[in-house]
Amino acid sequence: MKLYSLSVLYKGYAKAVLLKAAYDVSSFSFFQRSSVQEFMASTSQLIVECSLKGSKASTKEQEYLCHVYVTNDSLAGVVIADSEYSSWVAFTLLEKVLDEFSKQVDRIDWPVGSPGTSQYAGLDGHLSRYQNPREAHPMTKVQAELDETKIILQNTTESLLERGGKLDDLVSKSEALGIQFKAFYKTARKQNSCCVIM
């Protein structure tokens, strides 16, 4: 699971305005990083322009999953992650970031803002903290623990069923041995009765 981009934008009438963004392009080669970052910025703007106010959506773009949330007051957030990243955690992150941004940056500055002028410094921290959703969000951690417990219980149940099958085999074998023992005992008694020593 990997988060690549976290952006805050303003959905204007004509186009979306990038207000602030944070990127983690460390997994790409040095020469690709600037073009990947430009791709993520333009993709974020395009997705916000195509989204309706008051909506949440997830879109697949190449091997990336883009999660967008546009509030009713035209403030938008975009998370670009790999396909394994939980959409639920991504939307929780977007709600948190947009709430903090709207409290720290005046609404008047949104239509004319830019990454250099927006006075919000929380994106980099959120991007690094949410790289591991289990650590960042308590419900995700609980869900992961529940999944692990479920797997352990399934394995335990399977081993018990295997043991039950083995026990059934042992019982049938012991019954067969019991029958063979009775036949052996009867034969031995007959043999011993012929060889009585006086």
Side-chain angles (χ1 to χ4, degrees):
M1 290 186 275
K2 179 89 171 146
L3 272 180
Y4 297 105
S5 169
L6 176 58
S7 308
V8 177
L9 301 96
Y10 175 75
K11 181 178 172 59
Y13 293 109
K15 66 177 198 163
V17 178
L18 182 65
L19 300 175
K20 206 71 171 173
Y23 303 97
D24 182 358
V25 290
S26 60
S27 59
F28 298 96
S29 75
F30 179 78
F31 298 107
Q32 291 179 324
R33 290 179 184 174
S34 63
S35 59
V36 168
Q37 194 167 325
E38 288 174 22
F39 161 77
M40 290 181 187
S42 61
T43 301
S44 297
Q45 287 177 315
L46 181 64
I47 290 173
V48 169
E49 290 169 5
C50 295
S51 300
L52 301 173
K53 290 181 182 179
S55 67
K56 293 179 181 179
S58 295
T59 307
K60 189 167 176 92
E61 180 64 33
Q62 294 179 13
E63 68 265 12
Y64 308 107
L65 202 57
C66 307
H67 307 281
V68 62
Y69 174 41
V70 183
T71 63
N72 288 323
D73 54 0
S74 299
L75 190 61
V78 177
V79 165
I80 299 177
D82 63 7
S83 58
E84 294 177 10
Y85 200 86
S86 167
S87 60
W88 181 74
V89 175
F91 285 119
T92 303
L93 171 61
L94 287 174
E95 288 174 7
K96 184 175 188 172
V97 166
L98 294 179
D99 184 50
E100 288 178 6
F101 189 89
S102 65
K103 290 177 182 173
Q104 293 181 18
V105 179
D106 286 336
R107 190 176 182 155
I108 310 166
D109 297 332
W110 295 354
V112 293
S114 70
T117 61
S118 295
Q119 299 300 316
Y120 178 69
L123 285 185
D124 290 319
H126 286 303
L127 185 68
S128 64
R129 188 168 39 260
Y130 275 79
Q131 285 297 335
N132 185 355
R134 290 182 183 176
E135 299 300 322
H137 199 277
M139 288 301 291
T140 309
K141 187 175 184 177
V142 169
Q143 183 63 43
E145 290 173 358
L146 284 174
D147 290 342
E148 289 174 13
T149 304
K150 183 178 166 184
I151 290 169
I152 291 169
L153 284 173
Q154 286 175 344
N155 291 340
T156 304
T157 304
E158 287 173 6
S159 67
L160 284 174
L161 290 174
E162 287 175 11
R163 284 188 208 148
K166 290 178 182 176
L167 284 175
D168 289 341
D169 290 344
L170 286 174
V171 168
S172 63
K173 286 178 183 177
S174 68
E175 288 174 355
L177 282 174
I179 293 169
Q180 289 175 354
F181 176 73
K182 286 179 184 176
F184 174 75
Y185 178 73
K186 286 179 183 177
T187 308
R189 245 173 99 187
K190 284 181 187 176
Q191 292 294 331
N192 286 341
S193 66
C194 295
C195 302
V196 177
I197 302 177
M198 301 232 187

